[in-house]
Structure formats: C-alpha cells, structure tokens
C-alpha cells in the first residue's frame, strides 16, 4: 500500500475512532487495530467487525505494528546545554524514531538530583507532547560519587522516578553502590550503572585497548574495566536483594558475567546500544570523532557476542544512549573531543538491519527488547503494554522493506554527530502514535499543540 492511498495524517489527530487495517501485529500475523479514545479497543483479524460506523481507516498492509518504543537511556541535555539538544528537539527525534517514551539521563547542568529538578524535566516533556519524558535521577549528589542524591524524594515526586544513574560516571565506590541499592529497594527502583572502573580506564581512555590503540596512540579502554564493575554489581545486587541494570554493555566478558548472574537468579538486567551491535573499533583509524563513544567501539568478536546475547535474552533490551553534541565539542583532536553519538532516529532501522533482516530476531523480539521490557524495567505503567485490548494506543508502524539512507542534515536533533550518515539501512519508521494521537509520520512530527 503506497503512502498516497493512506489518509492524511493530520486527519487522524481528531480523536475519532480509527481502524488500522492489515498490519502485521508485532510478528504474529496480519490483523487490524481499533483505536477509540486513545486506547486499543480491539485487536486481531476480526477487530474491524467492532469498528463503529464512520470510523476512519488507515490501510497498513505491508507494515509491522509494534507497541511504541521505549528508550531507557537518552541524553536530552536540558538544562544546561540547550545548544546541543532540548527536551523538545530530543522528543521530536524520538517520535520520528518510533519512540513513545524516553528516559532522560541525569548528567545535565544542574544535575537531576532533586525532586524539583526531576519534576521540571517531567513537566517540560509533557508540555512538548511528542513522547513521555521520564527523568532518570542521579544516584549521588552532583554525580560526585560520594553522597546519595534525594532518591526517595525523587521517587515520591510527580515524576515518580524509578531509574537512577550517574551515567557518564561510574558509581565506583562499592559502599556507596551498596547503600544506593539498599535504599531504592523500598520503592522498587533500579540503579543503571555506567560500568567503568576509573582505576583501569580513566577519563581520557577512548579506544579499545589492544594493538590498534597502541598503533593509533590513543589511551586504552580495556574490557576488564567494564567487566570488573559488572561482576561487582551483580554480587551487590544479590547481597542486597535489589535491582541493578547494566548500561551500554560492550564486551563479550560482560556477557559471560551476565549469563552467570541470571543463571543464579540475581535480579540484573542489561542493555546494548545499536552502535555497539554494528560499529567496530577499526573505524577509529580515521580519527573521526563521530565514532568516539563511551564505552568505546569494540572488536568484531565482541560485537558478535553482543548480538548473540541480545538474541538469546542475556541482554534484555536495546537502548540508544543518544548523546548529541554541537560541532565545537566534537571538532577537536580525538582525545579531546566529547564522547557520544546520536541514536534516536536510527535505532529501529539499525536493529532491523542487524538483527531482523539477518534472521537473529523476529519483530516480536523487537517489541520485547525495544518496548515491553524497557517499560517493565523502568516500571512505566502506561507504556510497553503490547498490542492488547485496553492498552494505551502507543503504536509504531514500521515499513520492514524500506531502504533508508541516513542524512545527518535532516535530523530533528539540534546536533549532527550522527555515525550513520550516508549509510543505507533496511526498515524505516512509518508512523508513531502516542495515546491515539499521531506524533510522527515519515519524518514529520506533531507535538502537544498539533
């Protein structure tokens, strides 16, 4: 079904009953979705029989319907670095990428370490209206790694914070990490850890340690700096009976630790980024700072281990680690440039290309790893419920055969540090819907005031 035969997107924003017909329902086969008052009223082959007279129809043959994507790891930069990104522009990028909820990391300026700062992030996200923006609270005050932040107050605030992270920095003091895990257990929170032992990989470490880092003259970032923290934290999680989440897993060794921990019944979850599933450390031979990321890109053998771990469930979810930077922060010598790359608008296409098109995952797996499980880990009650009757109509329609050539200039983000520029990917987001309201279609976005 071509775009020309589908109704005008703006007409779908009126709140009228809507019947989406013929989509592959998250890999379970073709069916229809009936949306009434922002919720899924019927789903399946016979959903059309329940559509009221006059319901709008959106022909979705050839598309895959997924529950709206949820990103557990996003940097929106506001407050403090609105030249790189704002909550509004980051939300637009998220909606264009098929997301209906994102979790905004705490390493802003000032840091999100109080109830008031968390509520401000929440309110700005609600005002923009493209996606639900849930603040991640800092684990320690000012990310200093010493004194716990207002964990309980943030949890009890209007933002209902349940995920806490000092991302960008590791909670490296075992005593502080233990205290944080004990504290958040009372309200079912989770600590998302940036696993980087600073004594093994300091602040200048920027290239996978090995022959290549030596040849390029770049400070090495050994895998054991990640793996040792992962091993410590899963033991602390077992000791405290609390939940720990491993952010941006990048090595085969970390995968081994996670497999062992899960076999022991320890309450640990983990994420992998799209860039760690496809890009490898050999790209650093160009010294192009768009490929500078933390943790660094790893060799092919680590990439293969990460793909296998995502496919078999050892790694639970995909998270973007969307990290926008203005040009002047990237246009430096490699060792001096900022860490990070964009990811929200391309994540689904990368996973489609690397995992689905290669037969490693089904679209049902994509729904699990990019929607239902991220929402479960973050304890989001209105996201990730699947394509089930009564669930909020948070939906993403994907064209699985569409070839996408990434153009950094067209990004909704304020920044352009896009590692996928010029690369052809397979599978593109066609439409995103938040509680029955279209927020994006083929690159065009609509916010709360649309």
């Amino acid at each position: 079904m071509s775009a020309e035969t589908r109704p005008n997107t703006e007409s779908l924003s009126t709140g009228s009953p809507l019947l989406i017909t013929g989509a592959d329902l998250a890999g379970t086969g073709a069916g229809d979705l009936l949306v009434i008052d922002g919720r899924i009223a019927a789903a399946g082959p016979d959903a059309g029989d329940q559509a009221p007279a006059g319901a709008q129809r959106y022909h979705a043959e050839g598309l895959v319907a997924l529950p709206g994507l949820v990103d557990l790891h996003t940097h929106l930069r506001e407050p403090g670095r609105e030249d790189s990104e704002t909550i509004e522009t980051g939300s637009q990028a998220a909606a264009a990428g098929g997301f209906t909820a994102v979790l905004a990391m705490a390493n802003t300026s000032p840091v999100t370490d109080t109830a008031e700062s968390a509520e401000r992030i929440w309110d700005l996200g609600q005002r923009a209206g493209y996606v639900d923006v849930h603040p991640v609270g800092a684990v320690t005050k000012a990310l200093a790694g010493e004194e716990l932040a207002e964990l309980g107050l943030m949890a009890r605030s209007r933002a209902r914070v349940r995920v806490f992270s000092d991302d960008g920095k590791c909670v490296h003091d075992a005593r502080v990490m233990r205290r944080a895990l004990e504290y958040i257990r009372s309200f079912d929170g989770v600590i998302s850890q940036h696993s980087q032992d600073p004594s093994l990989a300091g602040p200048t470490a920027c290239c996978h340690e090995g022959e290549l880092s030596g040849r390029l003259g770049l400070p090495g970032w050994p895998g054991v700096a990640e793996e040792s923290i992962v091993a410590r934290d899963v033991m602390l999680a077992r000791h405290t009976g609390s939940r720990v989440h491993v952010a941006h897993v990048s090595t085969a060794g970390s995968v081994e630790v996670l497999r062992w921990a899960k076999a022991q019944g320890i309450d640990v979850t983990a994420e992998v980024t799209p860039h760690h599933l496809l890009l490898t450390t050999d790209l650093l031979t160009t010294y192009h700072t768009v490929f500078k990321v933390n943790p660094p890109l790893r060799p092919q053998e680590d990439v293969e281990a990460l793909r296998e771990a995502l496919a078999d469930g050892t790694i639970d979810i995909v998270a973007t680690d969307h990290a926008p930077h203005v040009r002047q922060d990237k246009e430096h010598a490699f060792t001096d440039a900022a860490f990070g790359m964009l990811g929200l608008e391309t994540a689904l296409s990368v996973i489609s290309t690397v995992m689905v098109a290669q037969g490693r995952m089904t679209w049902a797996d994509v729904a699990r790893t990019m929607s239902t499980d991220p929402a479960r880990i973050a304890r989001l009650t209105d996201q990730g419920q699947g394509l089930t009757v009564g669930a909020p109509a948070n939906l993403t329609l994907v064209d699985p055969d569409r070839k996408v050539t990434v153009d950094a200039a067209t990004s909704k983000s304020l920044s352009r540090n896009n590692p996928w520029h010029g690369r052809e990917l397979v599978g593109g987001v066609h439409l995103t819907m938040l509680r029955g309201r279209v927020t994006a279609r083929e690159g065009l976005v609509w916010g709360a005031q649309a």
Side-chain angles (χ1 to χ4, degrees):
M1 179 71 64
S2 67
E4 288 77 10
T5 63
R6 296 184 173 114
N8 186 300
T9 304
E10 294 178 356
S11 70
L12 304 180
S13 306
T14 61
S16 301
L18 171 67
L19 181 66
I20 300 172
T21 64
D24 179 355
L25 302 184
T28 63
D32 302 337
L33 291 169
L34 179 61
V35 176
I36 298 178
D37 294 331
R39 292 188 174 271
I40 298 176
D46 59 350
D49 297 338
Q50 303 178 48
Q56 298 178 89
R57 290 177 177 264
Y58 194 85
H59 300 289
E61 289 80 2
L63 304 179
V64 177
L66 301 174
L69 308 184
V70 177
D71 187 13
L72 205 65
H73 192 150
T74 303
H75 297 275
L76 297 182
R77 304 302 188 207
E78 187 177 3
R81 286 306 304 268
E82 289 86 351
D83 55 337
S84 298
E85 195 78 285
T86 66
I87 289 173
E88 180 165 359
T89 61
S91 295
Q92 290 177 354
F99 291 91
T100 54
V102 299
L103 282 91
M105 283 293 169
N107 59 339
T108 50
S109 181
V111 172
T112 308
D113 56 5
T114 66
E116 291 79 9
S117 58
E119 289 181 344
R120 175 167 172 77
I121 300 298
W122 169 258
D123 290 341
L124 287 172
Q126 289 292 297
R127 189 180 307 163
Y130 299 95
V131 298
D132 288 341
V133 178
H134 296 270
V136 173
V139 179
T140 65
K141 290 184 178 180
L143 310 181
E146 298 173 356
E147 185 179 355
L148 292 185
E150 296 181 357
L151 307 182
L153 291 177
M154 285 189 279
R156 293 191 293 274
S157 72
R158 285 186 289 107
R160 297 190 71 255
V161 179
R162 289 298 180 271
V163 181
F164 301 87
S165 181
D166 279 1
D167 185 64
K169 297 183 179 180
C170 178
V171 183
H172 61 87
D173 187 310
R175 181 180 62 86
V176 173
M177 186 65 174
R178 173 185 174 178
R179 289 180 57 212
L181 287 168
E182 290 171 339
Y183 197 102
I184 57 102
R185 184 180 58 199
S186 64
F187 49 79
D188 195 24
V190 63
I191 303 295
S192 176
Q193 175 71 290
H194 175 112
S195 302
Q196 180 182 0
D197 186 330
S199 66
L200 295 172
T204 63
C206 58
C207 180
H208 174 77
E209 185 178 275
E211 182 275 334
L212 185 66
S213 64
R215 176 157 52 89
L216 297 179
L218 297 175
W221 205 121
V224 70
E226 173 177 300
E227 296 149 9
S228 59
I229 296 295
V230 175
R232 184 203 73 178
D233 286 352
V234 297
M235 298 307 291
L236 287 175
R238 180 164 74 172
H239 178 75
T240 60
S242 193
R243 294 196 295 142
V244 68
H245 178 77
V246 183
H248 43 50
V249 175
S250 71
T251 75
S254 292
V255 169
E256 292 178 11
V257 175
L258 290 167
R259 280 207 178 95
W260 176 87
K262 291 195 170 192
Q264 303 302 309
I266 299 172
D267 200 351
V268 57
T269 54
E271 71 189 37
V272 64
T273 70
H275 51 268
H276 283 115
L277 288 170
L278 182 55
L279 306 180
T280 56
T281 191
D282 60 283
L283 290 168
L284 272 60
T285 58
T286 65
Y287 291 100
H288 198 316
T289 58
V290 74
F291 299 118
K292 183 180 180 182
V293 66
N294 192 4
L297 303 179
R298 302 291 188 183
Q300 188 63 41
E301 54 265 31
D302 290 300
V303 171
E304 288 297 331
L306 296 174
R307 293 176 181 179
E308 181 180 350
L310 180 63
D312 68 22
T314 301
I315 293 177
D316 301 81
I317 67 169
V318 174
T320 70
D321 196 6
H322 175 84
H325 290 289
V326 291
R327 288 179 59 184
Q328 56 264 36
D329 290 342
K330 278 290 191 178
E331 291 183 347
H332 293 279
F334 197 90
T335 53
D336 298 326
F339 290 100
M341 52 183 62
L342 300 186
L344 283 168
E345 292 166 275
T346 52
L348 193 282
S349 296
V350 174
I351 298 306
S352 172
T353 301
V354 173
M355 303 300 293
V356 180
Q358 295 186 13
R360 292 176 180 264
M361 288 171 55
T362 65
W363 286 109
D365 295 326
V366 174
R368 171 178 53 82
T369 59
M370 297 188 75
S371 179
T372 56
D373 278 1
R376 174 182 57 81
I377 292 168
R379 301 301 192 250
L380 304 184
T381 57
D382 289 334
Q383 296 283 345
Q385 294 186 21
L387 307 179
T388 58
V389 174
N394 302 322
L395 306 173
T396 304
L397 295 181
V398 182
D399 185 341
D401 301 318
R402 177 183 163 200
K403 293 183 178 180
V404 178
T405 300
V406 180
D407 182 356
T410 65
S411 176
K412 299 296 180 293
S413 172
L414 287 180
S415 297
R416 294 293 178 263
N417 53 313
N418 192 325
W420 312 105
H421 177 68
R423 187 183 291 256
E424 184 177 87
L425 303 171
V426 178
V429 174
H430 175 77
L431 182 144
T432 310
M433 180 177 288
L434 177 65
R435 287 183 285 277
R437 177 174 58 84
V438 173
T439 55
R441 180 186 176 189
E442 296 184 333
L444 299 176
V445 294
W446 294 269
Q449 304 306 316

